[in-house]
Every structure is written in structure tokens, then in C-alpha cells.
Amino acid sequence: MFSKILIANRGEIAVRIIRTCKEMGIATAVVYSEPDRNSMATRMADEAYFIGGSSASQSYLNVDSVLLALSRSQADALHPGYGFLSENADFAQAVADAGKVFIGPSPSAMKVMGDKISARKTAEEAGVQGVPGRSHCVNSAQDVIDFAQEVDWPVAIKAAYGGGGRGMKVINSASEAESGIESTQREALASFGRSEIYLEKYLSWPRHIEAQIAIDKFGNGIFLGERDCSCQRRHQKLLEECPAPGLSPKVRQAMGQAALKIAKHCGYENLGTIEFLYEKDKFYFLEMNTRLQVEHPVTEMTTGLDLVRLQIEIAAGQSIKDKKATFDPNMHSIECRINAEDVSGGLFSPTPGTITQFDTPGGLGIRLDAGYQSGDSLPSFYDNLVAKLISWGPNRQIAIKRMLQALTEIKIQGIKTNIEAHKAILDHKDFQDNNYSTKWVEEKLNFSNISSLETTSPNKQLALQEQQIQAEVNGKLFNVKLWISPNSQLPQAIPAQASKPLSRSSRKHHGSASKTVIAPMQGVITKIAVEVGQSIAQGEIICVLEAMKMENNVLADQNGVVKEILVSVGDSLSNGDTIIIFE
């Protein structure tokens, strides 16, 4: 077994892996970026190593920095978590070349299945039908239009190396094709380091169901049940449950067999998830995630297995022959992703900020996997997941009731969250009657009466005088304990950060609000869609603002002529900054 594992990730999943490692007696090291210097993960790990600046490309996607941290930590294995470099075959190979163990599949299997186009071909070879689509990369709007003429609109443009719902756009007409390609490529490059894209038919009312499998180095494979991940917005999952409600035993068995068949066909090892679209008692291969899934806790709750431990044991060469496929289709588990976002009007806009209070729920059948605590800040550079709230029970009805109670008990102040949206989903008759699809949240659910109240907690006098701080020496963090007065403030060394001066006059206030367009959230400008002197109509796109790994179109709220543009591509904006001024 391993003596130390480096966790090349952040937030909730880094904390999750640390906990299992501690239970197994394995030392932990984590990497961290500038905004994550004092994160919950760095506080919990035995060691922490600095890998770069704020953006993902400067830090968690920086292969050289992560490999240097791996060498300095002297860990004998690396766990990539999910996202970032977790499905990067070249990175996995580099870890192996460094004489370390990558906790995941082999680079060759990852190459086959991590590339969504290659995965489609593999599924076909294994005899599993995929969603109608192109099994090659596309580059032009005409490619999209030609494909739509064959299968009809809408069409999905997807990142070939993507996952987690990012790097995907639904195109409803030829006029949207060019901008859809550009946007998908930008998201794919920013999130996964590669911009290749491909096409699939966008089904009319499908459910998103995925099969969890595990295969060891000896070819022993087990199917650990399926998860329904159909409650989505912007093609990103909000709520997941296990098992998929209403799925017949016959379909479940066929889906599990298909998943194992695909995985074994490419010589896959370790934990993996085969995703399917399900419609009218038929399922179609969608893609394979060659890593741990965000929603893995619902499988753990219905099998009794620790999937992170299972990953580590397989990577260490242990057999899973004696592991029981303990999936119980009668037990039910639900996971709600608690995100920092404003759901008002159904917008689900990312809202980074500082958590001033975090009261956690409890009770039978409740679990909370969080990456933050009271006082922690959520940076705008990464995803907006605060925590995962999980319920389970002997049936779906009880799991729903326990989750609703837990959502009532959980209190997060200082930032806006989607807690009220989860209540609306779970309370809805369509959800309780299993009458929903991947489009249901956005097309059928009404969030007009839901508000995401941003509140702050009163200042509290600390009862304890013990305080723990961190000191960084050559990029490695050390925890130092001090005893101080509750009202004392420790000096902090704030690293100098390069900042671009505003190229024009101040963004904060420029004329009356009626003649300006302001940033609705904190984020980075990735595209400017207008020019000075251009006439624009209400509802037209002014620019694209990327916040917490999601692209958001900023629209004109009036007709007018652009007088001045106060931003440039790459600028970081705060909520309320002026973007353009009208004549």
C-alpha cells in the first residue's frame, strides 16, 4: 500500500480524498493555488505545495508545477480527483514516467475513453449503440449545419476532452452555429486544456443515467448500480440519485453489462463511469468518465463501499474479486450540489464570495461533503461547488423527505446559494412522480418566485485564544499554532500580484445607470461582441463573462449606440463594474 498520496486537486474532492487516506493510514499532500492558500484542504492535509497563480491554467492545469510538487512531496502515488488533469492521458503518463502511481486508469485506456470521439468508436466496436453523432472532430459552422440537415435541430456541440457538463452548447438553428463553436472551444480550452469539439443529436426528452463500474488489474469487474443525473441546468448536474427511479431490472442489468463490456473492450482498470442517455426504454452510450464522479456518494450510500478506497486499492494492485456487488435497488440516495449561485429568475448566476456562517444539518440518513467552512472564500476562478448534501433511506420517498429537512436545516450566509432551487425540485410533483428529463429544470420548472437572499452574520467574539496560522517556506506550507488575544489581528504577508490598470477611465461609475451596461457578477471577459459606434438592440450580446468556469452572456437592456467600451478581453471585473456606455 502507498505511504503518501499527492492530491492534485482542490475544494470538496480534495477534502474527500484526504479523509479516506487518513482512515487508511496514508499520509497526504495537496497542491494549492494563490486563492487556495488557506483552503480547507490545505488545512487538513499533512503537507501542501504551492503550484502557481489564480487561474486554472497557472495552477491546477500546470503540468510542470504539479509534477514538481509530486517530486518534492516524495509521494508514491497521485490522486487527480475530478476535473482539471484527471482525464489527461499525457499527464497520467508523465506521472508514470516519474516512477509514481497514477490512481486511475492506464494512459492508453484513458486516451481511448477520455477522448469522447474515440470512446464513441470503442462503444460501437463493443456492440453498444451511441447517440447519433459525428465520430470525428469538427471545425466549421457548415459542419454543424450539414449534420443538422441529417438529424434535424437541435444539435449539441461538445468538447472532445470535456466532462462535467462544461464545454457543451445546444444549437437550435444555423444562425447560432458559428458562435456556438467559438464558445464551446473557449470553454473546452479553459477547463480542459484542449479545444477539440464534436457533434451529437440533442434528444427531445431524455434522462441522463450512468453506470458505475470497477475493474482491477486481473480483469475482475463489478457493476455498482446506476445513477440518475437528469436534473440539470446549463448541462451541469444539480441533483443526482441512486438508483434511477423507474428503471426496470431488465434495463438495469443490460445497462450494467453494456458498461462492463465497453470498459473491458479497451482494457480499462480502476473506477469508471459509463454515461447513457435513456429514452422510451432504450439507452444510448454517451461517454465514459475515466475518473471519480462528483456524485459518487450516492453509490457509496447504496453499496456500503468507499469508492475512493476502492480506487486506491486497485491502483495498489489489490484484487476486487472478493468485493461484493452490494448494490441494493431498494435503498435510495439523493445528492444535492450546493452551489454558490443566484437562482433568481432561473438564471443560476455564479456568486463567488466569503462564507460568513455555515451551519450544517444532521439526523439519520444525512451526509455532508464540503470543501469550505465558515470564514472561507470561494474564488471566481474555479467551479462554484460549495458542498454536496446527501440523504439516503430505505426508499425514494423517505430519501426525499430527509433531504427536504436537511435543506431546511442547512444555513449558509455571506453568499447566495441554490438551496431554495433544490427545495423547489424535490417538492415538485413531476420529480416525485419521476416525470422529468435533462431539459425539465430549464423548460418546465418555474423559479420566478425564488430569491437567493445574500445575508451576513453578525460579528462574533471568539471564545478561544488559540489560533493556527500557516507559514510558507519555499512553496511548502507549515502549520504554526499561536495563542493570542481574541481581538488581536495577525499581520499577513500579501504577495504582490500583477494587475492591469484600467485602460480607460474608472469602471465603477460612468454616467447614469440607464446609459450603461454593468457586470452582473465577478468574472473575466472572454469575448467582446460590440464595437464603438455600433447600434445595438435590447437583448443583444454585449460580451461574454466567464465566472466559476461558466460562460455568461451579458445582454443589452436597452437600445442604443455604443459610445465607449471600458473593458478588454482578459480583464477581471467585479460585480457592478461598467462595461460599456451608450450614446
Side-chain angles (χ1 to χ4, degrees):
M1 187 50 68
F2 308 119
S3 60
K4 184 190 293 184
I5 291 175
L6 177 75
I7 301 161
N9 218 296
R10 63 176 303 279
E12 170 273 328
I13 190 56
V15 172
R16 166 72 185 88
I17 297 167
I18 289 169
R19 285 177 171 145
T20 288
C21 288
K22 287 182 179 294
E23 181 183 314
M24 298 177 71
I26 300 172
T28 57
V30 294
V31 296
Y32 67 94
S33 66
E34 191 61 60
D36 287 334
R37 183 176 297 278
N38 188 38
S39 67
M40 185 175 174
T42 63
R43 297 194 300 266
M44 287 183 62
D46 298 305
E47 301 172 5
Y49 293 87
F50 180 65
I51 54 169
S54 298
S55 70
S57 61
Q58 293 173 323
S59 52
Y60 299 102
L61 289 173
N62 188 328
V63 172
D64 290 339
S65 289
V66 175
L67 290 175
L68 178 60
L70 178 61
S71 174
R72 294 179 61 200
S73 70
Q74 297 185 327
D76 39 11
L78 178 143
H79 198 305
Y82 52 70
F84 295 128
L85 295 170
S86 62
E87 294 184 281
N88 187 314
D90 292 336
F91 173 68
Q93 185 61 59
V95 171
D97 291 343
K100 311 294 185 178
V101 175
F102 181 86
I103 300 177
S106 66
S108 59
M110 191 183 296
K111 241 173 208 181
V112 171
M113 301 309 292
D115 173 352
K116 311 307 179 190
I117 298 172
S118 174
R120 284 176 56 86
K121 295 177 180 177
T122 300
E124 292 167 2
E125 292 170 0
V128 181
Q129 182 180 0
V131 178
R134 290 278 191 258
S135 295
H136 58 80
C137 290
V138 298
N139 297 295
S140 70
Q142 192 59 49
D143 290 333
V144 179
I145 295 169
D146 291 345
F147 178 65
Q149 289 176 343
E150 297 176 18
V151 301
D152 204 3
W153 303 100
V155 168
I157 305 178
K158 304 180 72 173
Y161 294 89
R166 293 189 173 84
M168 174 178 170
K169 297 293 176 184
V170 177
I171 308 302
N172 295 290
S173 65
S175 63
E176 300 175 10
E178 186 171 354
S179 62
I181 283 179
E182 292 175 357
S183 179
T184 308
Q185 288 176 329
R186 277 197 308 270
E187 281 193 0
L189 187 61
S191 296
F192 312 110
R194 300 192 62 161
S195 62
E196 294 93 326
I197 56 174
Y198 71 106
L199 302 173
E200 283 182 349
K201 168 63 180 169
Y202 193 57
L203 300 180
S204 60
W205 196 251
R207 285 168 61 189
H208 183 141
I209 299 177
E210 56 190 32
Q212 179 70 71
I213 57 98
I215 302 176
D216 64 20
K217 296 180 182 295
F218 310 101
N220 301 307
I222 51 176
F223 167 54
L224 293 170
E226 83 288 346
R227 300 181 287 255
D228 191 308
C229 309
S230 301
C231 288
Q232 304 177 5
R233 53 86 183 93
R234 295 187 180 184
H235 319 297
Q236 294 183 3
K237 302 165 187 175
L238 275 170
L239 178 153
E240 303 97 349
E241 52 185 322
C242 178
L247 202 67
S248 70
K250 181 180 179 181
V251 171
R252 175 175 294 116
Q253 182 181 19
M255 191 176 286
Q257 290 175 345
L260 285 170
K261 190 185 298 184
I262 293 170
K264 289 186 175 182
H265 185 75
C266 67
Y268 192 86
E269 295 172 6
N270 213 274
L271 207 67
T273 299
I274 307 291
E275 300 195 347
F276 299 96
L277 287 183
Y278 172 79
E279 192 174 52
K280 298 177 181 177
D281 290 329
K282 292 185 179 180
F283 59 87
Y284 306 89
F285 171 77
L286 183 62
E287 62 187 37
M288 183 177 189
N289 287 313
T290 58
R291 53 168 169 79
L292 188 69
Q293 293 280 91
V294 179
E295 56 272 22
H296 73 273
V298 292
T299 297
E300 292 181 329
M301 295 301 98
T302 54
T303 62
L305 293 176
D306 180 334
L307 297 192
V308 174
R309 176 186 279 267
L310 192 61
Q311 283 187 295
I312 294 171
E313 289 173 343
I314 293 174
Q318 296 184 11
S319 170
I320 62 172
K321 185 176 182 181
D322 296 330
K323 294 282 184 185
K324 301 285 186 182
T326 53
F327 173 69
D328 182 353
N330 297 311
M331 178 70 75
H332 204 88
S333 183
I334 298 172
E335 174 182 285
C336 289
R337 300 190 187 192
I338 308 301
N339 296 326
E341 55 194 6
D342 185 354
V343 303
S344 302
L347 294 177
F348 291 93
S349 302
T351 55
T354 299
I355 300 172
T356 57
Q357 184 174 340
F358 194 164
D359 295 341
T360 60
L364 181 63
I366 295 299
R367 166 179 166 180
L368 183 75
D369 284 16
Y372 300 89
Q373 296 173 321
S374 295
D376 288 344
S377 294
L378 280 78
S380 62
F381 307 100
Y382 318 115
D383 65 56
N384 58 355
L385 182 64
V386 178
K388 301 184 308 195
L389 185 57
I390 305 105
S391 70
W392 71 96
N395 56 56
R396 188 171 187 254
Q397 291 72 27
I398 291 178
I400 289 174
K401 289 179 180 178
R402 287 177 175 173
M403 179 61 78
L404 283 168
Q405 178 59 34
L407 289 167
T408 301
E409 293 180 18
I410 190 171
K411 296 290 187 296
I412 300 176
Q413 296 185 332
I415 59 171
K416 298 178 181 181
T417 70
N418 61 347
I419 290 173
E420 294 302 316
H422 281 300
K423 291 180 183 178
I425 291 171
L426 291 159
D427 260 335
H428 202 284
K429 188 176 186 299
D430 284 353
F431 180 81
Q432 295 183 1
D433 291 346
N434 189 31
N435 182 26
Y436 60 93
S437 79
T438 56
K439 304 180 183 181
W440 175 71
V441 168
E442 292 184 329
E443 294 185 3
K444 303 292 184 180
L445 219 54
N446 182 6
F447 292 109
S448 60
N449 295 324
I450 294 180
S451 63
S452 299
L453 297 177
E454 182 178 4
T455 58
T456 57
S457 60
N459 292 328
K460 296 180 179 180
Q461 186 76 7
L462 294 176
L464 297 178
Q465 293 183 313
E466 176 185 325
Q467 186 165 342
Q468 189 167 333
I469 65 170
Q470 291 178 324
E472 180 181 320
V473 180
N474 294 328
K476 181 177 179 180
L477 285 185
F478 295 87
N479 292 320
V480 181
K481 187 183 296 183
L482 297 178
W483 291 81
I484 62 171
S485 166
N487 295 321
S488 297
Q489 291 189 358
L490 294 173
Q492 295 183 5
I494 301 175
Q497 295 182 357
S499 60
K500 288 190 288 184
L502 299 183
S503 55
R504 301 167 182 85
S505 49
S506 172
R507 298 184 187 130
K508 274 302 176 189
H509 182 71
H510 236 303
S512 65
S514 63
K515 293 186 178 182
T516 63
V517 173
I518 64 173
M521 67 192 74
Q522 181 180 349
V524 177
I525 295 288
T526 59
K527 180 181 179 181
I528 298 173
V530 297
E531 298 177 348
V532 173
Q534 179 180 340
S535 296
I536 57 175
Q538 182 178 359
E540 286 190 24
I541 297 176
I542 298 296
C543 66
V544 178
L545 188 66
E546 183 185 288
M548 301 184 106
K549 297 175 74 173
M550 290 193 292
E551 288 200 338
N552 304 272
N553 292 331
V554 179
L555 308 179
D557 59 0
Q558 59 184 298
N559 300 332
V561 176
V562 179
K563 178 182 179 181
E564 191 174 2
I565 301 173
L566 302 180
V567 299
S568 301
V569 171
D571 283 356
S572 295
L573 272 61
S574 298
N575 187 355
D577 281 355
T578 302
I579 297 173
I580 70 166
I581 303 172
F582 289 122
E583 291 280 6

